[in-house]
Amino acid sequence: MKYRHWSGWIILLTLAGIVGCSRAGQDRKGRNLGVYEAFMREMEDSLTKDPAGIYNRLDSALASAPDSMSYYRNMLLKAKALFYTAEFDSMVPLMDCVRAYCDRSDDNAAIQGLYCQIYNMEGNLYGRKSEMDLSAKAFEKAYACGLAAGEREKLPYICINLADAYVRGGRFDLGSFWYRRTLSMFDSLQVAEKDRFPVYYGLAQVSMELRNFDRCDYYFNLAERSFDQMRPYEKHVYLNNRGNSYYFRQDYPTALGYFRRSLALTRKYPDMEFERNLTMINMGEVFLLMNQTDSSAYYLSRCYDFFRRVNNQTALYYIDTQLIELALKQKNLPLARMRLKNAVKPDYVEPNMVNVRNRYLQHFYEESGDFRKAYHYLQENKRIDDSIRSERVKMRAAEIALKYRQDSTLMQKEISIQQKENQLLHLHQWLYGLVGCILLLGTAALALYLYRRRKIDKERWKLQTAITSLRLENIRNRISPHFIFNVLNREVSERKENPDNTNLMGLIKLMRRNLELTDSLAVTLADELDFVHTYVSLEQKSLGEEFRFEVSTGDVDLNVVRVPSMLLQIPVENAIKHALRLKEGKRRLWIRVMQEGERVVATVCDNGGGYRRQSVNRGTGTGMKVITQTIQLLNSYNRQSIVMTISNVPVEDGETGCEVRFTIPLHYSYRLTLEFNL
């Protein structure tokens, strides 16, 4: 539920990158500071521990500010203290006053630094109101101002805020991008591992949203190593986020354990009122899902007054939703009807929250006997569930694509650097060759040899780039979001009837093996056929009961014979997608592998009517293009070639099929060397 993720909101308004963490009386380079500057550093370092006390002390310090810049820095610090005490309406006038000062001042690094803090605080305010588009824009402005101010140490923490805003707004790919950029900045700034936990539990949040719980636990475990060094509100973020991860796994007892720890933590700090009440919402919902209605009523009623006082419509909508279901579970239909009538109606409600409300409204109308309305809300939820699942699959695919684009960009940079180094070496070789020609003919011969070797290396780089491009193109075209969505949708809807989730695990295996195999130029026939079996088993349901898949390998040693990666799987996928899926009646697919002398012959054949160039189901041809170019590239390094033929052949029952045939020499080499394999 989207609202639950408020508990994962990373409030970095006054982290080390914003408030500084130097000793009072010295800056980071050990230089002495004035009395007032030392006082400000002390206030900043103590802000998260006692914001109310710091606010009062700053009131008395305004009059002693030595200049205007110090005065407005003091005012911003007061606004931050009000943020921590959840007095949002009071902090806005202070921010506006500082902004007005910046607007009328000459632009310089110090003014840009103030702008950076203002926009960062605005981003946090919008985040508290769940206005994530505005929050992300504010953090982007803060990042730009931080760059202009040259405050490199603050930028990673603004990046974390921006990443979290994207995650809360459902843009998990961009969130993951900014978290990883933060890690790169930490590397360049040589930030200690123990101080990187905000990024780790941010990446854990992304993995949780994408329901990749193994990766989620990996990042949470990294963050947990620094738990003792975390500030109180950072511990609250960690505990609530980890509780949420178990909530989404429907492991409610474990989730409740983390929420209890979070509640005990916030009770120690009176100023953490917002976090305390947020945790109670989470606990109220978990108790409701565990059918412990008394405990649920206790926590929901305790936090309701707080959110009404701060006029947080989104939180009130969510609590009202839980209270309606609570009344139904207590068999109090009139109370549920009254709560539904009096429930708040925000201008905008996130789809996840609408989904929860509709589920409880369906229950309400079932209890009321109005089954037409109950059916209406059931259908609405099915539509919303489909949309949410589709978006989640798209975001996961986008995150994978973004990661590979980043890897590709890094690879291109490394290649460019290497090419520049080769050019420099080439220049040196000519210089040394010229001197060598004057001194000794032998030195000239050596220089010529080195030149040829460098030229060979350059050609190898070009070949490696071509292969990498083919692999990346294949990855982009073979991970079909439509296919993944259909399989996941089918398997999730059958969870209750199929607790083993065999096909779902098969899909995961398929995706993992797909990425592994594309990293290899050649694989054994055993690995290739194993991948094909996994893919066909996932497609078998959609092909119906009349689909038959046969594999015959004769006496070929599958663990010894090697073939180009994807040699069989692409023709198999083409046969299913473009020939068999829409075919009526019997659907047949054969793979035959046999040895003919010093060659192995592998064929893929179907009964889908044969290859037709003008068919509407012909596809883009990208897969076969990858195979063709790979074979051409490999054949250029072998005396004996792999031969591929595609033809229409008669099959059983008088039908016509398409046969893809590969003839592979037994001693075929997959090493890209500039000498023929003898």
Side-chain angles (χ1 to χ4, degrees), residues 39-70:
F39 169 78
M40 290 295 292
R41 290 294 176 90
E42 179 186 355
M43 295 298 97
E44 290 174 343
D45 292 341
S46 306
L47 186 60
T48 59
K49 301 175 183 177
D50 182 21
I54 297 301
Y55 180 86
N56 293 330
R57 293 183 64 185
L58 288 171
D59 259 344
S60 62
L62 277 173
S64 61
D67 52 43
S68 296
M69 179 60 67
S70 300

Side-chain angles (χ1 to χ4, degrees), residues 27-42:
D27 67 6
R28 294 183 182 274
K29 296 182 179 180
R31 296 174 300 200
N32 291 328
L33 299 169
V35 175
Y36 184 82
E37 188 67 19
F39 169 78
M40 290 295 292
R41 290 294 176 90
E42 179 186 355

Side-chain angles (χ1 to χ4, degrees), residues 173-192:
D173 52 339
L174 291 177
S176 178
F177 169 81
W178 282 99
Y179 282 132
R180 290 193 172 95
R181 173 171 285 191
T182 304
L183 286 178
S184 297
M185 291 182 179
F186 279 160
D187 287 338
S188 64
L189 294 172
Q190 297 183 339
V191 175

Side-chain angles (χ1 to χ4, degrees), residues 525-538:
L525 262 174
D527 286 340
E528 186 73 10
L529 289 173
D530 179 65
F531 184 94
V532 170
H533 276 293
T534 302
Y535 172 79
V536 172
S537 67
L538 289 173

